[in-house]
Amino acid sequence: MSDSSPSTGSGRSRAPPTRRRLFEAVVVREVRTVVRARSLLLLAATLTAVVVGITWIGDGFTAGYLPSIVDLLTPLELLVPIVAIAFGYRAILGDQQRGELDVLETYPVSARELVLGVYAGRAIGLAVTIAVALAIAAIAIAVGGDDPVRVYASHSGADSPILFARFLVLTVLFGLAVLAVAVAISAVVSVTRSALGLSVVALVALLVGFDLAIVYGLAEGIVGDADLLYTLAASPLSAYRGLVLETTVIVASGTGPRVASPVASLVGLVIWTVASLAVAVWAVGR
Amino acid sequence: MIERQRIRLLVVAILVAIAVVAVGVFVVDGGTADPDPVLFDDTVSMGLALEDEYGLEDDVRLPRAQVFYSQYEYVVGYYGVEMFVASFREAGHTDRFGHPRTVYVSDYSSVDVELSADGHPTADREPAWTDAESAWFAVGSEATTPSGQTIVPFADRDDATAFVDSHGGSVVAWEQLLDRDVEMDDATVVRDRVDQQHQNADERIEAVSALADRPVSTVVGEDAATVQEAIDSAPENTTVLVPEGTYNETLEVDRSITLRGEDDATIRGDGNGTVITATANRTAAVGLAVAGSGSQRQGDGELPGDEHDGEWDDTFERNYAGSDAAIGLHTANESLIEDVSVDSEVTGVVLRRSENSVVRDVTVDSPERWEDGHAGVLAFHSPTVVENATISDGRDGVYSHRSTGLVVRNSTLEGNRLGVHLMHTSDALLASNRLENQSSTGIYVMTGPERNAIVDNEIRGAEYGLFPDGSDSYVADNLLVDNRVGLRIDATGSRYEGNVVAGNEIGAQVRAMLPTNQVLENDFVENDVHADAGTGPLRVWTHDGTGNYWQGASSITGDRTVDGPYSPTAPVDRQLHRTDGAETLARSPALDAISGLQGTVPGMRTGSVVDLAPTCEPNEPDLLAETPWADRAWSCERIERGPSP
């Protein structure tokens, strides 16, 4: 953004909109789209209901933050990708279908800025959706804990809201990585039906495909024992799971074999995000 | 434009703030600072039987540890640092409690420690607490607790060195201490010695059985007019023979003789006090019927027999062992009561401070109303062997107080309030007894004793079938049927193995706060609820990969184990054996997704039980065959075999 010229401070609005303003306009428009989309609001409400419901069924309210994380981890591995895909799979495709893409192309906005803007806007919506759902669960846990038996001295052990905050942050990051995949899909395809189809393919690959591939690799000896920790980072689900286990559950359960390489897993998620966005930029720029 | 700049700045600031917080939660330590030590009385403690605690002199300060675990919400107290080390080194300990975050130990640098004659550390006040990681430990010294040799911690290394200089041993640091092998008698030791205990009981019987064959020196009616006269005139180590008939007498035996009845010889008291009181070692009563004792349940005066030093339970002793009885043995070691039937007014047989005595082939009929009775056989400070006894309608069938090493076996207890009731009694063996229709509890072990073995008993129709308390006990191969609660789990550090729990309202009810039990290879069949858990962490009823058989926890795939964990306290799992369709619901991916990690962080979960490796078939089919429900114990391979008829 080094091109922001000093002239923008002059107050004259006749000057052509700067690239930064265009980027901002795209972001703001995406956020508005997300907020207006009733289906996405419904999705957010559903996610919240499921998260709170699982916390309740699993007795997380009384047990504490860490048990709730353990209960939520697997369901969120399945749900977050679905929600993220729903948030993103028509993002750019929609613009294209409504002809807005053609309009936007008349502005001096590059494919990169367009994709980043769309992604940023949707990302805000998705992040808020996930964060609100988990924050409500966290509040429920904070308020809902049952009193320990009073005749004994009690303490909170390793349990802490900090752990739940880590879980929240990691879940948002995971969601953002899958959202990037969704945006890439929406940029690559040209009709809704194929967007839906490709999204389902992507979901299947994400939810079971990559993990099964790693299992196969391990069974066949393609993935060596020493490599598994890093191979896990290649599958977004495993990367996310490993990060959550490593930064929360291990705090309480202590010693044992390592469950994840946090750096590798984090890099894995970042690569998925960046690569997907790069594909989207390439597709839009076609 | 300035407005826009401001918004931009604001957005950037918010984003930066979010990023800082997001990174920050990974940087800060999730845990809080080290907690302060708590009052030891407020901890969930282990390692000292109540009996031992009561017996300590006032100035004894036993070394203790208190541990804050990462997953367990209560502070755990250990009598003896070695107790913690032994527990910590046990397999699965950290799985259940998490890792110890903070450990405090008694600091003997803070007091002037001396050892009592028993080797117990004494001081004028309780030692302060000190962080174990920086403490120094005197190991292998002369210091002891009632459980054996103990480790004495000091904050100051010089104090520890001075201690070992005068009391022996060596000084080690915390890290080295945790690596030491500490031998503790746990439940598996109790298991491995059951046969030995039976053998010892056989030997004790052998040792007194000769009493029944002493030569006859005096015959009542021929050599003496009354039974009491015969007793008084008979030489020691001989038999007084009581021919058939009823003798209205109250007897005192103060010399080592045998009283043997012929046919239905009956001694009938006058309704006051104890009918036959014996105070000499190696006394025997054989082949008699006894009736007509007083009906006073609690004594308050002097007790017969030798004097003894005052102890903490003196009042209990006067009250309980002072009960009127058909036969009272007081300070009469190695005595024998055999082939005797009692029509009891309150208590059948009292054994007080009568070690190594034997009560066998004895029948006690207690008063109709349990409120009028006391005990069929009452053992007070009397490690006794009771076998082939038949006791009915009493308050307590067999009552024991501080009778370490008591054996009760092959006996039948019917319609009592409590069948077998142990107080302060450790190292007991309760085996192969049949208990039916006790109105309260079949076998009730109270007051935190240690190392009891309860095996091969059959308990039916009680409010609580088997209710052991204490620690390091072995509860195995019992048949618990038709009770309201089959097995009540209050004892900790114990092994519950191979029990068949069938047809009860609640199969097993766990109330123990510490998740230190081994529960495996039990069969739960046809209970309304297989298991129920009170406050406390998740109880994992799987040991070394072996779980229990739960009727209903079947699998369609057919394998030696069921293909998932089973939680008898979970809403769907608990219905599996009695609600059609529950199995289908249990296999829903949504439930799978939630329960997949159920065994993780067990210490933080509450009020539930999970078996991570349920077995496919009953583990004790022969025992189960004694119930009507053997054919209802579906194997998990039932689909392949076809539907059961």
Side-chain angles (χ1 to χ4, degrees):
Chain A
M1 298 291 163
S2 55
D3 60 342
S4 63
S5 59
S7 64
T8 47
S10 67
R12 284 180 204 145
S13 53
R14 293 273 173 88
T18 63
R19 304 192 119 201
R20 182 157 72 175
R21 282 195 55 188
L22 278 169
F23 172 75
E24 282 165 8
V26 174
V27 172
V28 169
R29 186 196 56 142
E30 287 302 322
V31 172
R32 284 205 182 112
T33 312
V34 168
V35 172
R36 283 193 199 127
R38 298 232 172 112
S39 59
L40 292 184
L41 277 180
L42 190 65
L43 197 59
T46 311
L47 182 71
T48 308
V50 169
V51 165
V52 173
I54 288 170
T55 317
W56 179 64
I57 291 173
D59 259 346
F61 288 163
T62 52
Y65 298 101
L66 199 46
S68 302
I69 293 173
V70 172
D71 285 345
L72 285 169
L73 180 55
T74 310
L76 285 189
E77 277 181 55
L78 304 176
L79 281 177
V80 166
I82 295 171
V83 173
I85 295 275
F87 262 83
Y89 85 103
R90 290 188 61 183
I92 289 173
L93 176 67
D95 285 343
Q96 191 187 11
Q97 286 175 333
R98 287 189 300 272
E100 287 184 42
L101 209 54
D102 300 332
V103 177
L104 283 168
E105 275 166 6
T106 66
Y107 288 90
V109 56
S110 68
R112 193 185 68 182
E113 280 149 358
L114 176 70
V115 167
L116 287 181
V118 168
Y119 177 73
R122 301 267 163 164
I124 291 171
L126 178 64
V128 169
T129 300
I130 294 173
V132 165
L134 287 176
I136 289 174
I139 291 167
I141 296 164
V143 194
D146 66 343
D147 291 331
V149 180
R150 284 182 182 279
V151 294
Y152 298 116
S154 59
H155 63 112
S156 61
D159 201 21
S160 152
I162 296 279
L163 299 180
F164 204 82
R166 289 180 183 173
F167 178 59
L168 189 153
V169 170
L170 292 173
T171 308
V172 169
L173 281 184
F174 173 53
L176 295 185
V178 183
L179 178 67
V181 175
V183 168
I185 290 170
S186 99
V188 169
V189 298
S190 53
V191 288
T192 315
R193 209 184 311 155
S194 56
L196 202 57
L198 200 53
S199 298
V200 170
V201 170
L203 269 177
V204 171
L206 279 173
L207 295 184
V208 292
F210 291 110
D211 283 351
L212 283 183
I214 295 176
V215 173
Y216 176 78
L218 193 64
E220 294 295 310
I222 301 165
V223 177
D225 288 356
D227 309 326
L228 180 61
L229 218 47
Y230 307 99
T231 314
L232 282 177
S235 157
L237 252 75
S238 285
Y240 165 64
R241 189 184 320 117
L243 278 168
V244 171
L245 293 177
E246 182 71 32
T247 56
T248 63
V249 178
I250 293 301
V251 172
S253 58
T255 53
R258 283 182 71 194
V259 293
S261 157
V263 174
S265 299
L266 206 55
V267 168
L269 287 180
V270 170
I271 287 178
W272 270 97
T273 311
V274 172
S276 298
L277 291 179
V279 168
V281 170
W282 166 79
V284 171
R286 248 182 329 182
Chain B
M1 275 301 134
I2 289 172
E3 193 64 14
R4 183 176 292 276
Q5 282 289 46
R6 274 200 188 146
I7 291 172
R8 267 188 199 146
L9 272 176
L10 190 66
V11 168
V12 169
I14 289 172
L15 286 177
V16 169
I18 289 174
V20 167
V21 171
V23 174
V25 294
F26 292 90
V27 176
V28 298
D29 186 1
T32 43
D34 278 352
D36 290 329
V38 300
L39 284 176
F40 192 79
D41 286 345
D42 293 345
T43 63
V44 181
S45 65
M46 62 167 109
L48 186 66
L50 213 50
E51 176 189 5
D52 293 333
E53 188 179 346
Y54 288 162
L56 293 174
E57 298 292 330
D58 285 345
D59 61 346
V60 169
R61 314 290 176 204
L62 298 182
R64 304 180 294 190
Q66 55 170 279
V67 185
F68 296 74
Y69 287 98
S70 63
Q71 285 183 33
Y72 188 65
E73 72 175 321
Y74 302 102
V75 186
V76 182
Y78 293 88
Y79 282 99
V81 179
E82 61 280 357
M83 186 73 201
F84 168 70
V85 176
S87 303
F88 178 70
R89 291 175 60 87
E90 248 166 45
H93 183 78
T94 44
D95 293 345
R96 293 175 175 198
F97 287 92
H99 54 90
R101 290 160 61 84
T102 310
V103 182
Y104 291 109
V105 291
S106 307
D107 172 17
Y108 288 87
S109 289
S110 68
V111 291
D112 289 328
V113 58
E114 284 173 24
L115 297 186
S116 71
D118 300 332
H120 301 338
T122 62
D124 56 355
R125 61 196 149 85
E126 280 297 344
W129 294 102
T130 187
D131 194 327
E133 285 182 27
S134 58
W136 299 91
F137 300 86
V139 297
S141 74
E142 296 159 352
T144 64
T145 69
S147 311
Q149 202 175 53
T150 193
I151 296 166
V152 187
F154 295 86
D156 191 332
R157 187 174 194 168
D158 294 341
D159 294 333
T161 310
F163 184 83
V164 299
D165 284 348
S166 46
H167 300 292
S170 57
V171 176
V172 300
W174 183 239
E175 292 297 321
Q176 299 159 272
L177 190 65
L178 288 181
D179 284 338
R180 289 175 76 94
D181 271 325
V182 180
E183 287 291 316
M184 289 293 212
D185 283 357
D186 62 7
T188 53
V189 173
V190 180
R191 174 192 62 191
D192 296 341
R193 73 180 188 196
V194 165
D195 289 344
Q196 186 63 45
Q197 266 182 302
H198 273 299
Q199 208 175 318
N200 291 349
D202 292 343
E203 285 163 14
R204 276 150 77 179
I205 290 168
E206 182 69 30
V208 298
S209 62
L211 302 185
D213 302 323
R214 281 166 164 166
V216 176
S217 65
T218 314
V219 179
V220 179
E222 293 174 16
D223 305 317
T226 65
V227 183
Q228 186 66 54
E229 278 176 27
I231 291 167
D232 294 341
S233 63
E236 290 211 342
N237 296 318
T238 64
T239 294
V240 170
L241 189 67
V242 186
E244 188 180 349
T246 298
Y247 302 81
N248 294 311
E249 291 188 57
T250 299
L251 306 177
E252 289 190 9
V253 184
D254 58 1
R255 284 174 316 123
S256 181
I257 58 150
T258 295
L259 197 59
R260 181 145 60 85
E262 281 187 319
D263 298 325
D264 283 333
T266 302
I267 312 291
R268 180 174 293 281
D270 59 3
N272 287 303
T274 293
V275 182
I276 303 175
T277 303
T279 52
N281 292 344
R282 295 183 72 75
T283 305
V286 180
L288 292 167
V290 188
S293 76
S295 55
Q296 195 177 331
R297 194 158 72 80
Q298 292 204 336
D300 48 12
E302 286 296 301
L303 293 168
D306 301 338
E307 295 283 312
H308 63 91
D309 295 340
E311 288 185 62
W312 60 266
D313 55 351
D314 271 358
T315 311
F316 290 109
E317 185 162 348
R318 270 198 305 278
N319 285 345
Y320 281 57
S323 165
D324 289 344
I327 300 178
L329 299 184
H330 294 264
T331 62
N333 296 328
E334 294 174 52
S335 294
L336 171 68
I337 295 174
E338 186 173 34
D339 189 20
V340 166
S341 67
V342 172
D343 186 0
S344 170
E345 299 300 325
V346 54
T347 294
V349 179
V350 168
L351 301 108
R352 173 181 147 263
R353 297 184 184 271
S354 299
E355 290 183 15
N356 295 323
S357 294
V358 171
V359 177
R360 61 194 304 236
D361 301 323
V362 164
T363 303
V364 179
D365 279 319
S366 297
E368 194 68 29
R369 286 168 12 104
W370 69 259
E371 290 89 341
D372 299 333
H374 189 188
V377 174
L378 188 153
F380 211 101
H381 285 273
S382 295
T384 309
V385 177
V386 178
E387 70 169 18
N388 301 334
T390 303
I391 300 169
S392 50
D393 288 339
R395 180 183 287 259
D396 293 359
V398 176
Y399 174 90
S400 156
H401 178 101
R402 292 185 76 186
S403 298
T404 302
L406 175 83
V407 175
V408 181
R409 59 183 189 180
N410 301 326
S411 293
T412 302
L413 299 116
E414 275 178 322
N416 303 283
R417 188 186 56 137
L418 308 180
V420 178
H421 182 186
L422 304 189
M423 299 285 285
H424 301 291
T425 298
S426 296
D427 299 303
L429 170 66
L430 309 178
S432 307
N433 300 293
R434 206 168 59 79
L435 300 101
E436 290 213 357
N437 301 326
Q438 322 298 318
S439 59
S440 171
T441 305
I443 294 178
Y444 202 160
V445 180
M446 294 187 182
T447 63
E450 299 171 321
R451 299 173 304 274
N452 288 311
I454 304 173
V455 296
D456 300 323
N457 299 287
E458 179 180 334
I459 307 179
R460 296 172 187 267
E463 178 77 2
Y464 290 91
L466 185 48
F467 198 142
D469 182 26
S471 63
D472 303 301
S473 291
Y474 180 63
V475 178
D477 303 323
N478 299 289
L479 178 62
L480 308 170
V481 175
D482 283 335
N483 306 285
R484 191 180 73 78
V485 175
L487 175 62
R488 165 86 173 208
I489 297 187
D490 278 32
T492 54
S494 297
R495 190 171 170 104
Y496 302 83
E497 182 177 29
N499 301 288
V500 170
V501 184
N504 307 283
E505 280 181 41
I506 299 173
Q509 184 176 58
V510 50
R511 287 292 181 273
M513 292 288 292
L514 292 168
T516 51
N517 289 313
Q518 302 169 3
V519 183
L520 66 157
E521 294 184 343
N522 301 289
D523 298 333
F524 292 87
V525 179
E526 213 69 12
N527 305 289
D528 287 354
V529 174
H530 284 330
D532 157 50
T535 308
L538 175 67
R539 281 72 164 196
V540 181
W541 285 358
T542 312
H543 186 72
D544 281 347
T546 307
N548 302 274
Y549 173 78
W550 307 89
Q551 177 199 28
S554 51
S555 137
I556 293 173
T557 53
D559 194 342
R560 275 306 296 164
T561 56
V562 184
D563 52 13
Y566 174 81
S567 169
T569 50
V572 180
D573 281 5
R574 67 186 300 162
Q575 305 268 11
L576 278 175
H577 62 295
R578 53 197 175 96
T579 309
D580 292 341
E583 183 167 346
T584 306
L585 184 57
R587 301 182 74 83
S588 104
L591 271 185
D592 260 358
I594 298 174
S595 69
L597 294 166
Q598 222 167 23
T600 320
V601 292
M604 290 184 171
R605 304 194 175 253
T606 56
S608 44
V609 174
V610 69
D611 185 339
L612 299 174
T615 59
C616 172
E617 286 172 332
N619 301 289
E620 301 286 335
D622 295 343
L623 204 50
L624 188 61
E626 293 177 30
T627 74
W629 308 293
D631 62 337
R632 301 267 300 160
W634 312 296
S635 158
C636 62
E637 296 168 40
R638 66 183 167 132
I639 299 296
E640 291 172 9
R641 287 186 194 161
S644 48

